[in-house]
Amino acid sequence: MCKLIDFTAKLAEKFPWDNMEKEADGTIFKGVFWEDENELFWIRLNEVLELYKEKAPLRCAEILDFIGRHAVERSDDITLCHYRNSCFAGLTLQYLESAGKQNMKFSMLQCLIVLDILFEAANQKNKQLYEHGVKVVRLLKLDNISVVDAELEKKYFRGYHYLWSNRQRYEAVGARFGLL
């Protein structure tokens, strides 16, 4: 627990901590979703990120994604499975919503995160989270979506093809962004 609190202190000191993915030891987040004592970590982390909700909401979402990947011990996989945790997904959505309201550019991966949260909320019958996700989707504009890392985003796009309820829409989006 001390390492997690130290992480939030370091994050507060170094935000936006652009090299966090290289510097931070992701193993400290192992099991962070399931251990009750880690509630303090989530509170402290949210306090730190909340300061940057308007200024750098997409970086806040990236930091949460980094933590989530390591929390489920699948940091090297093409996975969004950490968004099954509805509390974590809700926390992430608030930053993505802030970015959408500001008309910020989203990467395709960030769009897939929103779609995955919607998918998981529907599966869990979590109406509140689902409605929040729909609100964020409505803020997304195709002109504000770009492919940042083509190779990585192709893998995610193909791996998460089931997030589209309509095959034609999936193919149209994939063709538009060169992801098929």
Side-chain angles (χ1 to χ4, degrees):
M1 184 60 170
C2 290
K3 286 183 180 179
L4 293 171
I5 299 304
D6 287 347
F7 170 80
T8 58
K10 205 179 283 187
L11 178 61
E13 193 179 291
K14 294 183 168 190
F15 195 92
W17 202 354
D18 293 322
N19 57 352
M20 178 193 75
E21 291 82 355
K22 293 177 184 147
E23 282 184 23
D25 179 3
T27 60
I28 65 172
F29 305 115
K30 183 180 175 180
V32 76
F33 288 144
W34 300 282
E35 293 179 25
D36 293 335
E37 66 192 46
N38 291 331
E39 187 176 329
L40 180 60
F41 166 67
W42 291 112
I43 291 168
R44 180 69 184 118
L45 179 65
N46 194 41
E47 287 172 352
V48 171
L49 295 178
E50 188 70 26
L51 298 172
Y52 302 97
K53 187 175 179 180
E54 297 303 316
K55 185 177 164 187
L58 291 175
R59 183 59 181 154
C60 293
E62 287 172 0
I63 290 167
L64 286 168
D65 190 54
F66 174 80
I67 292 168
R69 287 176 199 287
H70 287 84
V72 295
E73 298 178 55
R74 293 178 67 183
S75 58
D76 296 329
D77 290 348
I78 302 299
T79 185
L80 297 175
C81 71
H82 43 296
Y83 292 104
R84 289 183 184 147
N85 181 303
S86 59
C87 293
F88 178 77
L91 189 61
T92 303
L93 272 182
Q94 73 176 350
Y95 296 105
L96 295 174
E97 179 181 15
S98 180
K101 285 179 180 175
Q102 295 178 51
N103 270 339
M104 291 183 161
K105 294 262 185 208
F106 275 66
S107 69
M108 181 53 71
L109 180 57
Q110 290 160 334
C111 292
L112 291 172
I113 287 169
V114 175
L115 292 176
D116 188 52
I117 291 171
L118 269 176
F119 179 82
E120 294 297 344
N123 282 343
Q124 296 171 13
K125 297 180 179 25
N126 185 333
K127 186 177 178 185
Q128 184 180 2
L129 185 62
Y130 184 82
E131 288 172 357
H132 192 183
V134 168
K135 193 173 162 184
V136 175
V137 167
R138 288 187 179 137
L139 294 170
L140 297 176
K141 296 174 181 73
L142 278 177
D143 293 341
N144 283 350
I145 299 170
S146 62
V147 174
V148 176
D149 182 339
E151 186 179 321
L152 181 68
E153 290 176 283
K154 273 184 188 182
K155 288 178 185 176
Y156 275 97
F157 191 79
R158 291 175 181 160
Y160 283 87
H161 62 88
Y162 60 85
L163 296 177
W164 275 263
S165 57
N166 177 313
R167 180 86 177 151
Q168 290 172 319
R169 210 176 283 156
Y170 166 76
E171 290 172 352
V173 171
R176 177 180 177 145
F177 293 99
L179 296 171
L180 293 176

